[in-house]
Short mmCIF file of all heavy atoms in Angstrom, two decimals:
data_model
loop_
_atom_site.label_atom_id
_atom_site.label_comp_id
_atom_site.label_asym_id
_atom_site.label_seq_id
_atom_site.Cartn_x
_atom_site.Cartn_y
_atom_site.Cartn_z
N THR A 223 -23.46 -29.85 -121.62
CA THR A 223 -22.11 -29.99 -121.11
C THR A 223 -21.42 -28.58 -121.21
O THR A 223 -20.77 -28.05 -120.29
CB THR A 223 -21.30 -30.94 -122.00
OG1 THR A 223 -21.94 -32.20 -121.86
CG2 THR A 223 -19.96 -31.10 -121.57
N TRP A 224 -21.57 -27.83 -122.31
CA TRP A 224 -20.84 -26.61 -122.57
C TRP A 224 -21.67 -25.49 -122.01
O TRP A 224 -21.09 -24.46 -121.60
CB TRP A 224 -20.62 -26.43 -124.03
CG TRP A 224 -19.82 -27.42 -124.72
CD1 TRP A 224 -18.78 -28.12 -124.08
CD2 TRP A 224 -19.89 -27.86 -126.06
NE1 TRP A 224 -18.27 -29.07 -125.03
CE2 TRP A 224 -18.88 -28.87 -126.19
CE3 TRP A 224 -20.67 -27.46 -127.15
CZ2 TRP A 224 -18.68 -29.47 -127.42
CZ3 TRP A 224 -20.48 -28.19 -128.38
CH2 TRP A 224 -19.51 -29.09 -128.48
N SER A 225 -23.00 -25.58 -121.99
CA SER A 225 -23.80 -24.47 -121.41
C SER A 225 -24.87 -25.05 -120.49
O SER A 225 -26.08 -25.13 -120.82
CB SER A 225 -24.56 -23.75 -122.54
OG SER A 225 -23.53 -23.18 -123.48
N PRO A 226 -24.46 -25.47 -119.30
CA PRO A 226 -25.39 -26.06 -118.39
C PRO A 226 -26.45 -25.00 -118.02
O PRO A 226 -26.26 -23.85 -117.89
CB PRO A 226 -24.61 -26.49 -117.16
CG PRO A 226 -23.21 -26.48 -117.65
CD PRO A 226 -23.05 -25.49 -118.76
N VAL A 227 -27.65 -25.67 -117.73
CA VAL A 227 -28.82 -24.77 -117.17
C VAL A 227 -28.43 -24.02 -115.98
O VAL A 227 -27.84 -24.69 -115.02
CB VAL A 227 -30.03 -25.67 -117.00
CG1 VAL A 227 -31.16 -24.81 -116.39
CG2 VAL A 227 -30.54 -26.32 -118.27
N GLY A 228 -28.64 -22.80 -115.88
CA GLY A 228 -28.35 -22.04 -114.69
C GLY A 228 -26.98 -21.45 -114.57
O GLY A 228 -26.56 -20.81 -113.63
N GLU A 229 -26.18 -21.65 -115.68
CA GLU A 229 -24.75 -21.10 -115.74
C GLU A 229 -24.65 -20.29 -117.05
O GLU A 229 -25.29 -20.49 -118.03
CB GLU A 229 -23.74 -22.23 -115.69
CG GLU A 229 -23.86 -23.05 -114.36
CD GLU A 229 -22.63 -24.05 -114.26
OE1 GLU A 229 -21.50 -23.70 -114.92
OE2 GLU A 229 -22.66 -24.87 -113.33
N ALA A 230 -23.70 -19.41 -116.90
CA ALA A 230 -23.25 -18.62 -118.13
C ALA A 230 -22.06 -19.27 -118.74
O ALA A 230 -21.33 -19.90 -118.11
CB ALA A 230 -22.93 -17.21 -117.75
N THR A 231 -21.96 -19.01 -120.04
CA THR A 231 -20.80 -19.64 -120.85
C THR A 231 -20.14 -18.56 -121.59
O THR A 231 -20.77 -17.66 -122.15
CB THR A 231 -21.40 -20.76 -121.80
OG1 THR A 231 -22.02 -21.74 -121.02
CG2 THR A 231 -20.31 -21.20 -122.72
N VAL A 232 -18.81 -18.66 -121.68
CA VAL A 232 -18.09 -17.74 -122.45
C VAL A 232 -17.05 -18.58 -123.29
O VAL A 232 -16.41 -19.51 -122.84
CB VAL A 232 -17.19 -16.73 -121.58
CG1 VAL A 232 -16.19 -15.93 -122.46
CG2 VAL A 232 -18.07 -15.87 -120.86
N SER A 233 -17.02 -18.28 -124.67
CA SER A 233 -16.07 -18.95 -125.56
C SER A 233 -14.96 -18.02 -125.92
O SER A 233 -15.18 -16.86 -126.18
CB SER A 233 -16.89 -19.34 -126.83
OG SER A 233 -17.89 -20.19 -126.60
N VAL A 234 -13.68 -18.54 -125.83
CA VAL A 234 -12.49 -17.74 -125.95
C VAL A 234 -11.55 -18.24 -126.89
O VAL A 234 -11.29 -19.49 -126.99
CB VAL A 234 -11.77 -17.66 -124.55
CG1 VAL A 234 -10.61 -16.75 -124.61
CG2 VAL A 234 -12.81 -17.17 -123.47
#
Side-chain angles (χ1 to χ4, degrees):
T223 300
W224 300 328
S225 300
V227 174
E229 299 195 16
T231 297
V232 173
S233 300
V234 182

